[in-house]
C-alpha cells in the first residue's frame, strides 16, 4: 500500500471510532473521562489521547452551559430557531446531537422534514415550516430548513427559476417577520472541503451502521459539487441580513466544529444561571393493606444479557 492509502485507511478508522464515540458520550461523565481517554491503544500518540480527553472535557462543560441556556429560555419565555445547513456529510447531525443530548426534548426539539408530499408542493412554500416554529420558552433546531430551495431544489431542478427568484424575494421578509414577532433566528452553514466529503462518503460506504445515511440524492450531490458550491455562494450573498445573519462553521475537523458551534451558539443569547428551589425527595408512603402482585412470566422480556 502507498502512503496515501495508509493515510486514507487511518482516516477511515478514526472516523469509525468517532462514530462510536457518539454513543459512548451518553454514558461518560467526568469520573470516567481519564480512564476512557486512555483506551486508544498503544499505537495512539500521547497527543492524540490528550486531544481526545480535552475534547470530552470541553464538550461536557459546554453541554452544562447548554442546560443553563435551556433553563434561561424557559424562564424568560424566549423563542429561538436555529438553522443547520451545509453539504451532505458536513457534520450537521453530529452537532445537533451534541446540542440536544442532555436537554429536555419538550424544550429543545429537532425539526427534520422529509421531502414535501403532493399536497405540500401546492402550499405556500414556507407553510410546512411554520407549524414547527417555537412557542415561548422553546428552542427548535432545523436539520435543513427552508433553504432547501436555495440548495438541493435549485441544483437538482426541483423548482422553477420563478420559484427560485421568489424564494430570494420572500425569505428576507419572512425571517424579518419572525424576528419582529419575537423569534430569534440563528443560521449556521457547515463548510467542508471536497476531499473531506469524499472521505466521509467512503466511511459511510464501509460502515454498515452508516450506510442508511447514503441516499441516491447524496451520491448525486457528490457529482455536482461545483453546482452546490455556486448555489451556496448565491444563497449566502442574497440572504445574509442583519436580523438573521449567516455564520460559517469550519467543519473539516468534526470535533472542533461541534465545540466551536456550541460555543458560538451560547454567545448568541444573554442567558444566565436560573435559580431553582432545592429538591427534596419525599418519603414513600407504605400501606399495610398493599401487597405487590407477581408479574406473569409469559410477559417478561427474556434476560439474554
Amino acid at each position: 500500500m502507498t502512503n496515501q492509502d495508509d493515510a486514507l485507511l487511518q482516516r477511515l478508522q478514526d472516523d469509525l471510532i468517532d462514530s462510536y464515540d457518539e454513543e459512548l458520550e451518553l454514558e461518560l461523565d467526568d469520573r470516567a473521562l481519564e480512564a476512557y481517554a486512555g483506551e486508544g491503544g498503544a499505537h495512539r500518540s500521547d497527543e492524540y489521547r490528550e486531544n481526545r480527553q480535552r475534547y470530552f472535557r470541553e464538550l461536557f462543560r459546554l453541554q452544562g452551559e447548554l442546560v443553563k441556556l435551556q433553563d434561561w429560555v424557559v424562564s424568560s419565555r424566549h423563542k429561538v430557531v436555529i438553522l443547520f445547513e451545509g453539504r451532505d456529510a458536513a457534520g450537521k447531525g453530529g452537532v445537533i446531537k451534541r446540542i440536544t443530548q442532555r436537554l429536555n426534548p419538550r424544550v429543545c426539539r429537532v425539526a427534520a422534514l422529509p421531502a414535501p408530499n403532493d399536497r405540500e408542493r401546492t402550499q405556500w412554500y414556507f407553510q410546512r415550516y411554520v407549524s414547527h416554529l417555537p412557542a415561548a420558552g422553546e428552542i427548535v433546531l432545523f436539520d435543513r430548513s427552508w433553504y432547501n430551495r436555495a440548495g438541493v431544489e435549485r441544483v437538482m431542478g426541483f423548482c422553477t427559476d420563478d420559484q427560485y427568484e421568489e424564494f430570494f424575494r420572500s425569505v428576507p421578509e419572512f425571517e424579518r417577520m419572525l424576528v419582529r414577532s419575537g423569534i430569534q433566528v440563528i443560521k449556521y452553514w457547515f463548510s467542508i472541503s471536497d476531499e473531506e466529503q469524499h472521505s466521509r462518503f467512503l466511511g459511510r460506504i464501509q460502515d454498515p451502521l452508516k450506510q442508511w445515511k447514503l441516499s441516491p440524492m447524496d451520491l448525486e450531490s457528490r457529482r455536482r459539487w461545483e453546482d452546490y458550491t455556486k448555489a451556496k455562494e448565491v444563497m449566502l450573498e442574497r440572504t445574509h441580513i442583519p436580523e438573521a445573519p449567516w455564520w460559517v462553521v469550519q467543519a473539516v475537523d468534526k470535533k472542533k466544529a461541534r465545540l466551536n458551534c456550541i460555543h458560538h451558539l451560547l454567545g448568541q443569547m444573554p442567558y444566565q444561571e436560573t435559580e431553582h428551589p432545592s429538591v427534596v425527595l419525599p418519603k414513600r408512603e407504605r400501606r399495610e393493606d398493599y401487597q405487590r402482585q407477581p408479574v406473569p412470566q409469559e410477559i417478561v422480556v427474556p434476560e439474554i444479557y
Side-chain angles (χ1 to χ4, degrees):
M1 296 178 66
T2 66
N3 291 337
Q4 186 175 4
D5 291 334
D6 288 336
L8 178 58
L9 181 59
Q10 184 65 62
R11 172 69 183 80
L12 295 177
Q13 290 175 342
D14 289 345
D15 190 66
L16 184 62
I17 291 172
D18 181 72
S19 70
Y20 296 147
D21 284 347
E22 295 176 5
E23 304 306 324
L24 292 172
E25 286 165 13
L26 290 170
E27 306 298 331
L28 288 171
D29 59 26
D30 288 325
R31 289 169 297 179
L33 181 60
E34 183 175 353
Y36 178 70
E39 289 180 1
H43 67 287
R44 295 297 185 184
S45 67
D46 291 340
E47 182 181 5
Y48 176 89
R49 289 192 289 272
E50 288 173 6
N51 288 339
R52 186 177 174 127
Q53 184 175 6
R54 188 180 305 114
Y55 164 73
F56 282 120
R57 181 179 292 113
E58 191 63 12
L59 176 66
F60 296 143
R61 185 188 72 80
L62 292 172
Q63 288 179 329
E65 292 299 313
L66 284 171
V67 173
K68 296 177 186 178
L69 173 66
Q70 170 188 254
D71 291 345
W72 175 82
V73 166
V74 172
S75 64
S76 66
R77 297 179 63 79
H78 196 53
K79 295 179 283 189
V80 190
V81 163
I82 310 169
L83 311 185
F84 293 86
E85 295 287 346
R87 297 181 187 275
D88 296 312
K92 302 179 296 297
V95 74
I96 290 172
K97 183 179 293 185
R98 296 331 183 282
I99 291 172
T100 61
Q101 210 165 48
R102 305 182 192 281
L103 301 185
N104 184 344
R106 294 182 178 86
V107 175
C108 181
R109 67 177 189 273
V110 179
L113 278 61
N117 57 35
D118 291 341
R119 179 177 180 273
E120 290 170 332
R121 290 190 186 95
T122 68
Q123 294 176 340
W124 175 51
Y125 178 71
F126 298 97
Q127 188 169 336
R128 72 191 190 114
Y129 296 100
V130 169
S131 62
H132 295 274
L133 293 174
E138 293 180 352
I139 305 169
V140 176
L141 286 64
F142 278 91
D143 186 352
R144 297 197 181 277
S145 66
W146 45 85
Y147 282 99
N148 275 338
R149 175 139 294 176
V152 63
E153 290 192 17
R154 174 61 171 177
V155 174
M156 302 302 297
F158 295 156
C159 67
T160 67
D161 290 344
D162 288 343
Q163 289 172 327
Y164 180 67
E165 286 302 320
E166 178 57 33
F167 171 80
F168 283 126
R169 284 191 292 268
S170 299
V171 71
E173 288 307 312
F174 175 67
E175 291 176 357
R176 290 187 183 104
M177 181 174 61
L178 296 182
V179 173
R180 288 196 301 269
S181 73
I183 299 175
Q184 183 176 4
V185 179
I186 303 172
K187 303 185 298 195
Y188 288 114
W189 174 268
F190 282 71
S191 178
I192 58 173
S193 65
D194 185 354
E195 296 77 14
E196 182 64 19
Q197 188 190 54
H198 179 255
S199 294
R200 293 183 187 181
F201 275 178
L202 287 179
R204 290 182 177 184
I205 292 171
Q206 297 298 321
D207 185 353
L209 299 181
K210 282 188 172 184
Q211 285 179 2
W212 64 269
K213 291 185 175 184
L214 275 176
S215 68
M217 199 70 64
D218 296 332
L219 299 176
E220 184 63 18
S221 74
R222 179 65 193 150
R223 189 174 71 85
R224 303 195 188 198
W225 171 275
E226 293 184 0
D227 293 336
Y228 273 95
T229 298
K230 294 175 183 176
K232 178 259 296 187
E233 292 169 349
V234 172
M235 181 191 76
L236 294 182
E237 180 182 356
R238 299 186 66 176
T239 62
H240 180 73
I241 59 175
E243 296 86 350
W246 279 103
W247 300 99
V248 176
V249 180
Q250 300 298 332
V252 170
D253 187 316
K254 288 192 288 188
K255 284 185 167 67
K256 289 182 179 180
R258 295 165 192 161
L259 299 180
N260 288 332
C261 183
I262 296 173
H263 182 273
H264 182 270
L265 176 61
L266 290 167
Q268 300 308 298
M269 284 165 271
Y271 76 96
Q272 52 193 337
E273 192 162 359
T274 304
E275 293 290 334
H276 294 286
S278 299
V279 178
V280 178
L281 187 65
K283 291 184 178 180
R284 178 193 151 188
E285 295 181 355
R286 298 181 183 273
R287 297 183 176 87
E288 294 182 0
D289 60 346
Y290 169 75
Q291 184 174 0
R292 182 176 180 179
Q293 300 300 311
V295 177
Q297 285 300 306
E298 62 266 23
I299 68 172
V300 174
V301 174
E303 295 190 49
I304 304 300
Y305 303 102

